[in-house]
Amino acid sequence: MTDLLYSEEEEALRAAVRDLLTDHCDAPGVIARTESDTPHDLAAWKALADGMGLAGLLVPEDRGGQGATHREAAVVLEELGRAVAPVPYLTSAVVATEALLACDAEGGLLAELASGRRIGALAVALNVVPGGAHKVVRHEDGALHGELTGIADAAVAGVLLVPADDGGLYAVDADAVTVTPQASLDLTRPVATVTLDGAPGRLLGDAEPAVRRALRAGAGLLASEQLGLAEWTLTETVRYLKERKQFNRPVGGFQALKHRLAQLWLEVVNLRAAARNAADALSTGEDVDVAVAVAQAYGAPVAVHAAEEALQLHAGIGMTWEHPVHLYLKRAKADSIAYGTAGAHREALAETIDLPAP
């Protein structure tokens, strides 16, 4: 039977990442970044990628990485979710890295992403479900032409992995394209439009299997980010309700609020099981499609519910810009459509286990 409990090494990794994020990604600092032209915290990214070597967790040691598994990457994403850290970890160290792992051709680029020296972004819209249709650009005479929208973290990417109409996946240097920011609900994971006007690209391999593998890993490990987010909002709400007094007693003592918190706790515990199962399935390669679909079908609504409850139960202070709960609600809402909606994953699950629609 699979052991989904955290190992001692995973707990040590969690403690180290949490310490680093406590120093780099405090709430006032993240909020201040969202108000600036540079929402990404590249100092925190450098500390995670270069200082701790976490960008290369999924890359084998003989290809320049750490040779760890999706379980370790999931622990990192839990902590990034707890801090709503504005770093391109999911997009570069998971999604772009998985796409490159599916293409055996480009060893040098993979090592650069693993070391954190370059940030990669898969040029597929953030809302595309694994195996779903996505836009491609035109490949003509060795150059790429077209426009792609909704590309997460494109603003800080050094290299874009672009699917083209000839079925190939191409590496395109970011300085060869035009990146235009789009309005994004989640200010800590901005999306952008990428315009290619005759940009040169290096063929990496077949786009279809690479994109499918990348989006599947992204969807599966997104559940761990959603878990971290939900855990933080629940913990902070419980702490606040113990301190806040009304009618000369702690608000948390009221029965109706206890019921709401107990329900939320059950949902978060179940989300942990689903997220851990998805991470374990990705690391072993067993029943991956089912585990990922279950984790996303369950995880997205729970993260949104946890953030909504946190906002409501913090009352007036939760409505302020200075309190970070709005960052968590925006991330939860954006995550709920990232790599496919819960409904899209339920449909994929029904198809995978051959459950006919009513």
Side-chain angles (χ1 to χ4, degrees):
M1 185 172 171
T2 303
D3 182 6
L4 298 183
L5 297 175
Y6 299 99
S7 67
E8 284 184 25
E9 291 81 4
E10 287 166 350
E11 290 293 6
L13 174 62
R14 177 194 307 288
V17 174
R18 189 174 296 187
D19 283 349
L20 187 149
L21 292 174
T22 301
D23 293 339
H24 279 277
C25 290
D26 61 310
V30 175
I31 292 170
R33 285 199 164 279
T34 65
E35 297 171 314
S36 73
D37 293 333
T38 53
H40 290 94
D41 189 339
L42 294 181
W45 169 252
K46 185 170 171 48
L48 286 163
D50 192 20
M52 296 180 71
L54 299 182
L57 285 181
L58 300 181
V59 179
E61 289 184 52
D62 61 0
R63 300 182 72 180
Q66 303 296 322
T69 72
H70 297 80
R71 289 176 60 124
E72 287 81 13
V75 170
V76 174
L77 279 161
E78 283 180 35
E79 292 307 309
L80 295 176
R82 284 180 64 89
V84 283
V87 295
Y89 190 86
L90 183 65
T91 45
S92 183
V94 176
V95 176
T97 295
E98 286 275 353
L100 283 178
L101 285 168
C103 307
D104 289 330
E106 189 80 6
L109 183 53
L110 187 61
E112 286 186 328
L113 258 59
S115 69
R117 289 196 303 274
R118 290 184 93 181
I119 295 170
L122 180 67
V124 172
L126 184 60
N127 65 322
V128 174
V129 69
H134 56 85
K135 279 182 73 176
V136 296
V137 297
R138 192 173 84 255
H139 180 257
E140 194 175 290
D141 300 329
L144 300 169
H145 306 262
E147 185 177 271
L148 300 163
T149 57
I151 311 303
D153 293 334
V156 287
V159 61
L160 294 153
L161 311 182
V162 182
D165 59 1
D166 64 349
L169 185 69
Y170 290 85
V172 179
D173 290 335
D175 55 12
V177 304
T178 305
V179 177
T180 311
Q182 290 177 253
S184 175
L185 176 65
D186 179 6
L187 302 171
T188 60
R189 182 177 286 143
V191 295
T193 297
V194 175
T195 307
L196 300 96
D197 188 10
R202 301 187 306 284
L203 180 63
L204 299 171
D206 292 337
E208 197 274 328
V211 170
R212 177 185 284 270
R213 174 174 169 171
L215 297 185
R216 188 173 71 171
L221 292 184
L222 179 66
S224 292
E225 179 184 290
Q226 289 164 325
L227 168 62
L229 187 155
E231 281 190 321
W232 184 92
T233 50
L234 175 60
T235 303
E236 281 301 302
T237 305
V238 170
R239 187 182 64 76
Y240 177 75
L241 293 182
K242 284 180 178 177
E243 294 173 356
R244 174 96 167 103
K245 285 190 167 61
Q246 202 170 35
F247 307 117
N248 213 26
R249 60 182 283 197
V251 175
F254 292 104
Q255 193 74 8
L257 298 191
K258 285 183 179 178
H259 285 170
R260 285 169 70 171
L261 292 170
Q263 176 61 36
L264 203 53
W265 181 82
L266 285 172
E267 291 179 14
V268 173
V269 168
N270 289 335
L271 172 53
R272 183 183 297 118
R276 289 297 289 168
N277 186 50
D280 188 73
L282 282 163
S283 66
T284 61
E286 294 178 16
D287 292 329
V288 182
D289 291 335
V290 171
V292 168
V294 167
Q296 269 312 303
Y298 187 78
V302 170
V304 172
H305 183 216
E308 287 176 343
E309 288 286 75
L311 185 74
Q312 288 187 11
L313 295 175
H314 273 82
I317 195 170
M319 292 291 185
T320 64
W321 183 261
E322 291 76 20
H323 195 283
V325 72
H326 66 93
L327 295 176
Y328 289 83
L329 180 56
K330 290 166 183 169
R331 172 68 69 91
K333 292 292 281 186
D335 280 358
S336 71
I337 61 168
Y339 307 117
T341 61
H345 284 282
R346 281 194 289 271
E347 285 180 22
L349 178 63
E351 201 173 296
T352 304
I353 62 176
D354 199 22
L355 184 68

